[in-house]
Amino acid sequence: MFLAGHDTTANAISWTWWLLGQNLEIQKRLREEVDTALAGREATAADVPRLPLCENILRESMRLYPPAYVVGRRAIEDCAIGNYSIRKGTNVLMSSWVVHRDPRWYDRPDEFVPDRWSDGLLSRIPKYAYFPFGGGPRACIGNNFAMLEGVLVIATMAQQFKLSTLTLPPIKLLPAITLKPGQPLEMKVEKR
């Protein structure tokens, strides 16, 4: 459980900074939000409500690069999904990578647009149009902690550093148990 929680969050933060490193204007807005909300002090859980852009950035990063990019379930009874008959005992795989890039739910689905989350998109799209933590009774039990941890780590890094991407897209992917970069994500790190 600890390994899964560490690996997925570390991947999400890595992908987030790689995306921010290509989008310096969004990174600048993030630093402004962090500077205003934290006023130079260390981030705590109580600060998360004052970091909505930071949360939207993490949410958008996990939309594009979901650490758990596919989840599986086994049918416990015969059922139908759309026009497909699923027999009891059949394993069904659902790819958040594919669903999160569906233009029915997301304008400009292949672009990094954190502001898409600022107007309540999560409440307007179908329940499983966004599922970086899986869903239902087997959803990730650490999802709230992962979001909290991710926002705090991103905010802390934004306080101290400016990063720019050296490894530009397209990036090789390594779809193992989690979705990892298939090559180094090289970044230029500058102290603020």
Side-chain angles (χ1 to χ4, degrees):
M1 183 164 59
F2 289 116
L3 177 61
H6 171 268
D7 196 44
T8 52
T9 304
N11 283 338
I13 292 167
S14 295
W15 287 117
T16 299
W17 277 106
W18 182 71
L19 289 163
L20 283 169
Q22 298 168 64
N23 295 275
L24 299 181
E25 185 56 38
I26 296 170
Q27 189 177 154
K28 179 182 174 200
R29 288 177 44 216
L30 170 63
R31 286 193 310 270
E32 290 168 357
E33 176 181 87
V34 166
D35 291 349
T36 299
L38 302 179
R41 63 179 173 69
E42 209 170 283
T44 69
D47 294 310
V48 171
R50 291 189 299 280
L51 299 166
L53 178 60
C54 190
E55 185 172 343
N56 290 343
I57 286 168
L58 179 58
R59 190 176 307 283
E60 180 70 349
S61 172
M62 289 192 300
R63 183 186 71 80
L64 288 169
Y65 296 97
Y69 64 99
V70 66
V71 294
R73 298 292 186 266
R74 180 170 293 147
I76 58 174
E77 59 186 47
D78 291 349
C79 63
I81 300 175
N83 294 327
Y84 297 94
S85 295
I86 310 294
R87 310 255 329 147
K88 178 181 178 178
T90 301
N91 292 324
V92 179
L93 300 177
M94 294 138 300
S95 173
S96 54
W97 170 274
V98 173
V99 175
H100 291 178
R101 293 166 184 265
D102 190 324
R104 290 178 297 174
W105 321 126
Y106 305 101
D107 292 330
R108 303 181 327 210
D110 294 324
E111 294 179 34
F112 180 63
V113 185
D115 289 332
R116 76 173 77 239
W117 301 101
S118 62
D119 67 350
L121 175 64
L122 197 56
S123 65
R124 293 192 322 273
I125 58 177
K127 184 175 183 179
Y128 292 110
Y130 182 76
F131 60 108
F133 297 105
R138 299 215 35 211
C140 173
I141 62 171
N143 62 352
N144 292 324
F145 178 74
M147 285 298 295
L148 174 76
E149 179 183 32
V151 168
L152 293 178
V153 168
I154 292 164
T156 299
M157 289 178 67
Q159 265 186 318
Q160 300 176 36
F161 305 105
K162 176 182 175 186
L163 285 87
S164 54
T165 300
L166 299 176
T167 306
L168 297 175
I171 193 83
K172 293 177 188 170
L173 300 175
L174 179 61
I177 293 173
T178 59
L179 183 63
K180 299 178 181 188
Q183 65 190 83
L185 297 181
E186 295 177 340
M187 309 283 295
K188 178 181 177 185
V189 180
E190 298 174 77
K191 186 85 171 139
R192 286 188 62 200

